Amino acid sequence: MLMIKSAICEMLGIEYPVFQGGMAWIADGKLAAAVSDGGGLGIIAAGNAPASYVRQQIHIAKDITNKPIGVNIMLLSPFADEVAKVVIEEKVQVVTTGAGNPSKYIKEWLAAGIKVIPVVASVALAKLMTRLGASALIAEGGESGGHVGELTTMVLVPQICDATTLPVIAAGGIADGRGVAAAFMLGAQGVQMGTRFLAANECDIHHIYKEKILKATDLCTMVTGKRLGHPVRSLRTQFAREYSKAEYGGMPNEELEELATGALRLAVQEGDNKKGCFLSGQIAAMVKREQPAAEIVKEVVEEAAPILLRASQWVK
Ligand code: TUI
């Protein structure tokens, strides 16, 4: 079977250059372990959870697999400082960060032997992270689900590659081998997928959430939350439409924040169509079936390899 190997595989000791995104409330120890066991990099999402939850999920993952595991630290979380210590105590191999600037933690993580891989949505942050000694970068375009930056993957990835000497992982809008091949063409050495892993057997979200992803069509997502400064992409549900209307209709900030509070949990745990916020990338329409996480990791790489080989046919 054809394979794809890159510097990121060697750096992290993984078989395939495929990361599973650290989706808040979703990416737990069980999902991360399944991805890592399958040869990718599974990442536990700290989200807004306290450090005790993160520690527990790390233990769950370690009970299932000996392969490297990552933890994603959502920098807007009130518990970010605590979680930043837990990853050191628990000797986690890889830390990724999202939704902010992780400068103040980097030295300590590197000193503990942790590979540090921040998500960057701009060239400026990529340059700063490179200067501070990050191990690699995740360039996440606005096609992704959850907290989104301004630029698309197509526009962001080559610019980040030009701005750094580090390996770049592309994220946002990737869910199959074509996306993986395209990411490598743009200069990336790996990919991160979130939405595709929502359909993994080991992903314990409410069945209504899973069904919504499997039934999604091309125009099924929208971005809300711009007015409060934290735009978030989710499925275009009743809740998302109502939130958007409130946002543009002049609802006061505190009321808007109240409306959003707990909405992600309601989607993940209760499948609540009225009050739940179902985070999803634009690529949901291309997620067709439930399957084991390990199969997803292998399948996208096996699809991408012949596409990359065939690319030379265009060169005369
Ligand atoms: O972080 C994500 N995805 C997320 S976080 C999240 S939870 C949340 N809750 C409330 C408000 C906002 C989010 C759900 N999904 N992806 C990684 C990501 N990071 N995307 C974009 C960025 C980013 C944006 C700006 C990273 C750095 C950055 O720079 C800030 C700075 O200070 O330079």
Side-chain angles (χ1 to χ4, degrees), residues 22-25 47-48 72-76 97-102 118-122 124-125 128 138 140-141 144-150 192 229-233 260 264 279:
M23 302 167 282
W25 285 99
N48 274 313
N72 173 261
I73 303 187
M74 212 279 281
L75 296 165
L76 295 169
T97 61
N101 179 341
V119 170
V120 297
S122 71
L125 192 60
L128 177 62
I138 300 172
E140 184 179 296
S144 69
H147 184 58
V148 289
E150 276 290 325
Q192 173 168 282
H230 298 299
V232 165
R233 183 179 299 284
L264 182 53
L279 297 184

Side-chain angles (χ1 to χ4, degrees), residues 222-238:
M222 63 187 286
V223 174
T224 55
K226 271 199 177 148
R227 213 189 81 202
L228 294 184
H230 298 299
V232 165
R233 183 179 299 284
S234 68
L235 292 178
R236 194 185 291 278
T237 56
Q238 185 183 332

Side-chain angles (χ1 to χ4, degrees), residues 23-292:
M23 302 167 282
W25 285 99
I26 298 173
D28 57 10
K30 178 179 158 189
L31 178 63
V35 173
S36 287
D37 230 15
L41 182 72
I43 299 176
I44 294 165
N48 274 313
S52 57
Y53 166 86
V54 180
R55 197 190 296 277
Q56 181 190 18
Q57 295 306 317
I58 294 168
H59 291 170
I60 288 173
K62 281 182 179 169
D63 281 344
I64 302 174
T65 185
N66 293 323
K67 303 259 180 81
I69 289 276
V71 170
N72 173 261
I73 303 187
M74 212 279 281
L75 296 165
L76 295 169
S77 164
F79 301 108
D81 284 349
E82 287 177 27
V83 177
K85 290 197 186 88
V86 164
V87 294
I88 295 173
E89 289 161 13
E90 296 293 332
K91 301 187 171 30
V92 162
Q93 291 93 339
V94 183
V95 166
T96 67
T97 61
N101 179 341
S103 292
K104 66 172 178 176
Y105 304 115
I106 290 184
K107 231 190 207 164
E108 233 183 307
W109 287 335
L110 291 173
I114 296 174
K115 298 284 188 277
V116 180
I117 313 187
V119 170
V120 297
S122 71
V123 165
L125 192 60
K127 285 186 173 159
L128 177 62
M129 293 299 106
T130 305
R131 208 161 56 238
L132 294 184
S135 313
L137 300 174
I138 300 172
E140 184 179 296
E143 296 94 321
S144 69
H147 184 58
V148 289
E150 276 290 325
L151 301 176
T152 61
T153 301
M154 181 77 109
V155 168
L156 182 67
V157 173
Q159 294 192 69
I160 301 298
C161 290
D162 282 351
T164 187
T165 48
L166 301 172
V168 172
I169 317 302
I174 302 169
D176 66 10
R178 292 171 293 182
V180 175
F184 275 73
M185 291 286 190
L186 295 176
Q189 303 224 18
V191 298
Q192 173 168 282
M193 303 189 297
T195 305
R196 175 82 189 254
F197 285 109
L198 291 178
N201 292 128
E202 298 87 346
C203 180
D204 281 334
I205 52 177
H206 196 280
H207 70 94
I208 290 177
Y209 200 151
K210 241 178 225 194
E211 281 155 23
K212 282 181 182 296
I213 295 295
L214 294 172
K215 282 195 200 139
T217 55
D218 55 349
L219 299 176
C220 266
T221 74
M222 63 187 286
V223 174
T224 55
K226 271 199 177 148
R227 213 189 81 202
L228 294 184
H230 298 299
V232 165
R233 183 179 299 284
S234 68
L235 292 178
R236 194 185 291 278
T237 56
Q238 185 183 332
F239 172 81
R241 276 179 230 235
E242 278 171 10
Y243 188 93
S244 186
K245 228 185 262 168
E247 188 175 20
Y248 292 104
M251 183 186 267
N253 284 3
E254 313 79 64
E255 283 177 48
L256 267 182
E257 263 161 39
E258 208 173 302
L259 198 56
T261 303
L264 182 53
R265 191 197 65 79
L266 284 175
V268 172
Q269 293 181 354
E270 327 238 334
D272 187 331
N273 197 35
K274 288 215 170 73
K275 295 199 188 119
C277 178
F278 296 80
L279 297 184
S280 168
Q282 285 186 320
I283 205 79
M286 284 174 51
V287 179
K288 303 268 166 44
R289 64 185 197 284
E290 235 185 315
Q291 64 192 136

